C-alpha cells in the first residue's frame, strides 16, 4: 500500500470493550466436546448447539460433532451425547438413561445453580416466577426442572401487572442468566412491589459474564458513535449487548456473526468512534477478523477499555479430565 492510498483512509477509533467474548461456561462446554472427540472418537452427538455461535458449531462439526435437536435423532451406537451449556429439562437425561445412552452434561454451572434454586423453592412449597425469554433453551431447561405448571414465566413489566398466582404470600423468583441487568432489575422491583414477601436468589442469577460484558458496553457507549456486537442472532446475551449500547447513547448498534456480514456503508462519515464487543459465545478470532476488515477501509486506532479482569474457570467433568 502506498502512502497516498493510506492517506485516503479516514480515521476511525475502535473502542474495544473488555471483558468480551468467551465466558467460563462457554469455554468449558467447548472443551467438553473437544475432549470427548479426542477420548471417544467421532461421532460425538450434541443435543442442541453446544453454544450459540455458528463459527464454533461449524468448527466442532468439522471435527466430528453431530448436532441434533432431540435424542430420537441419535442411533444406539454407544457414542457419547452431550447436553448443551444452556441446560436441559429433567426429562432429557431421564430419557437418555432409559435408552442406556452414555451422556455428558455440559450445562453451565451458573445455570445449574438456577436449577437448584428452582428445586429448593418448589420443595419448600413456593410457586416459582421465572424472568426470562420464552422459547430460549435455558428457559425451557429451567422450567423443565419442575412439574408442568409449577413455574410461571415473566418476560416484561406488563407481565408482572397481569400475573396470576396461587398464593401471593408464597412466591419466589429466579432469572435467566443472560438477561439485561437493567431491565431485569426493573422487573424484580415490580415483583417486589406487588408481592412484598417474594423470595429471591441468595446470589444474583444473571451471571458474572453477562454483567461484565454489559458493564463494558456501558463504559464505551457514551463515547462511541456506533456499536458492533459480534454474536449469533439466537444468542440472548449478544442481543442484550446491542440493546445496552443503544440505551447507553450509541446512535446505532448492530449485531453481526462475523466480519463478512458487515455492510461497511453503515459506518458512515458521521461515525468517528466505533464500539466493538463480542457476546459470551463468540471467540476472539472473530473480533480480530472485524478489526482486520476495518483496517482495510479506515485508518484505525484501537483503544481497549477494560472495566474488570475475569479469572473464572469451570472444571470439566471428571470423566474427561486430563489423566
Amino acid at each position: 500500500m502506498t502512502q497516498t492510498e493510506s492517506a485516503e483512509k479516514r480515521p476511525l477509533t475502535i473502542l474495544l470493550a473488555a471483558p468480551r467474548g468467551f465466558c467460563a461456561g462457554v469455554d468449558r462446554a467447548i472443551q467438553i466436546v473437544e475432549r470427548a472427540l479426542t477420548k471417544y472418537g467421532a461421532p460425538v452427538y450434541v443435543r442442541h448447539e453446544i453454544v450459540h455461535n455458528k463459527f464454533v458449531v461449524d468448527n466442532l462439526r468439522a471435527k466430528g460433532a453431530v448436532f441434533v435437536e432431540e435424542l430420537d435423532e441419535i442411533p444406539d451406537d454407544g457414542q457419547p451425547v452431550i447436553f448443551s451449556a444452556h441446560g436441559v429439562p429433567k426429562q432429557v437425561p431421564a430419557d437418555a438413561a432409559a435408552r442406556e445412552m452414555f451422556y455428558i452434561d455440559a450445562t453451565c454451572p451458573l445455570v445449574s445453580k438456577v436449577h437448584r434454586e428452582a428445586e429448593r423453592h418448589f420443595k419448600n412449597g413456593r410457586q416459582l416466577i421465572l424472568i426470562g425469554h420464552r422459547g430460549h433453551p435455558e428457559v425451557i431447561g429451567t422450567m423443565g426442572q419442575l412439574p408442568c405448571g409449577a413455574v410461571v414465566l415473566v418476560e416484561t413489566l406488563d407481565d408482572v401487572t397481569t400475573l396470576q398466582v396461587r398464593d401471593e404470600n408464597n412466591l419466589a423468583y429466579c432469572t435467566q442468566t443472560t438477561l439485561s441487568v437493567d431491565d431485569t432489575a426493573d422487573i424484580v422491583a415490580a415483583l417486589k412491589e406487588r408481592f412484598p414477601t417474594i423470595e429471591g436468589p441468595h446470589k444474583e442469577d444473571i451471571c458474572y459474564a453477562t454483567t461484565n460484558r454489559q458493564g463494558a458496553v456501558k463504559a464505551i457507549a457514551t463515547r462511541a458513535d456506533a456499536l458492533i456486537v459480534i454474536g449469533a442472532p439466537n444468542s440472548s446475551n449478544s442481543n442484550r449487548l446491542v440493546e445496552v449500547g443503544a440505551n447507553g447513547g450509541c446512535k446505532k448498534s448492530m449485531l453481526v456473526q462475523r466480519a463478512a456480514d458487515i455492510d461497511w456503508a453503515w459506518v458512515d462519515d458521521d461515525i468517528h468512534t466505533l464500539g466493538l464487543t463480542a457476546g459470551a459465545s463468540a471467540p476472539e478470532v472473530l473480533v480480530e477478523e472485524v478489526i482486520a476488515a476495518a483496517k482495510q477501509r479506515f485508518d484505525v486506532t484501537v483503544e481497549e477499555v477494560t472495566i474488570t479482569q475475569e479469572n473464572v474457570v469451570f472444571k470439566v467433568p471428571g470423566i474427561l479430565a486430563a489423566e
Side-chain angles (χ1 to χ4, degrees):
M1 182 181 295
T2 67
Q3 285 186 332
T4 302
E5 288 174 320
S6 178
E8 291 174 352
K9 294 182 178 180
R10 68 177 178 87
L12 180 70
T13 298
I14 293 179
L15 298 179
L16 193 55
R20 64 182 176 276
F22 277 2
C23 63
V26 165
D27 188 58
R28 173 181 180 269
I30 294 168
Q31 280 192 59
I32 287 172
V33 178
E34 291 178 336
R35 291 191 186 199
L37 284 164
T38 299
K39 184 170 183 176
Y40 303 108
V44 165
Y45 301 99
V46 185
R47 184 187 179 278
H48 192 67
E49 293 182 337
I50 188 67
V51 297
H52 285 158
N53 187 273
K54 185 178 185 298
F55 180 86
V56 169
V57 168
D58 286 348
N59 278 352
L60 292 174
R61 186 180 284 117
K63 295 176 181 179
V66 176
F67 293 89
V68 301
E69 286 304 311
E70 299 298 343
L71 296 182
D72 59 14
E73 300 173 51
I74 301 173
D76 292 319
D77 58 5
Q79 287 294 99
V81 54
I82 296 170
F83 303 148
S84 81
H86 311 97
V88 296
K90 273 190 173 179
Q91 191 60 45
V92 173
D95 290 346
R99 283 183 57 184
E100 299 184 346
M101 286 179 155
F102 169 33
Y103 66 86
I104 302 170
D105 192 355
T107 301
C108 172
L110 298 180
V111 174
S112 296
K113 177 184 82 73
V114 178
H115 291 180
R116 291 192 297 270
E117 287 172 359
E119 290 174 324
R120 175 174 59 84
H121 289 307
F122 180 72
K123 183 179 179 181
N124 291 333
R126 299 185 188 94
Q127 186 177 16
L128 187 71
I129 297 170
L130 175 63
I131 305 169
H133 296 296
R134 189 179 303 278
H136 189 277
E138 183 184 329
V139 166
I140 293 170
T142 299
M143 295 183 75
Q145 301 306 302
L146 303 181
C148 185
V151 184
V152 181
L153 183 65
V154 163
E155 296 187 89
T156 66
L157 279 171
D158 288 342
D159 290 343
V160 177
T161 306
T162 59
L163 190 60
Q164 300 292 319
V165 297
R166 290 195 305 263
D167 180 356
E168 293 190 357
N169 296 310
N170 210 8
L171 298 172
Y173 74 86
C174 293
T175 82
Q176 185 179 333
T177 63
T178 55
L179 300 177
S180 160
V181 174
D182 295 336
D183 290 349
T184 304
D186 290 342
I187 293 173
V188 168
L191 283 171
K192 289 180 176 178
E193 182 177 357
R194 185 171 173 202
F195 309 114
T197 62
I198 193 169
E199 290 209 16
H202 293 314
K203 188 179 179 183
E204 186 81 46
D205 283 340
I206 295 177
C207 82
Y208 78 95
T210 297
T211 302
N212 288 345
R213 278 149 194 71
Q214 289 180 22
V217 167
K218 287 178 183 178
I220 64 173
T222 55
R223 296 175 53 196
D225 301 311
L227 173 72
I228 290 177
V229 178
I230 303 168
N234 59 340
S235 165
S236 174
N237 78 88
S238 299
N239 279 289
R240 302 296 79 74
L241 293 176
V242 174
E243 294 169 1
V244 169
N247 293 336
C250 284
K251 286 180 284 190
K252 48 188 184 179
S253 302
M254 173 169 60
L255 178 70
V256 300
Q257 298 205 63
R258 55 190 311 176
D261 300 327
I262 299 173
D263 175 4
W264 288 99
W266 185 83
V267 186
D268 57 35
D269 291 345
D270 291 333
I271 297 175
H272 308 287
T273 304
L274 177 68
L276 178 61
T277 191
S281 304
E284 183 66 11
V285 64
L286 300 185
V287 176
E288 295 168 355
E289 182 183 88
V290 170
I291 293 173
K295 286 181 175 178
Q296 293 177 359
R297 297 162 174 84
F298 305 98
D299 180 13
V300 171
T301 302
V302 177
E303 177 188 341
E304 189 165 43
V305 179
T306 304
I307 64 162
T308 189
Q309 298 290 335
E310 292 180 346
N311 55 11
V312 179
V313 177
F314 294 137
K315 293 180 180 178
V316 298
I319 195 169
L320 295 174
E323 298 177 358

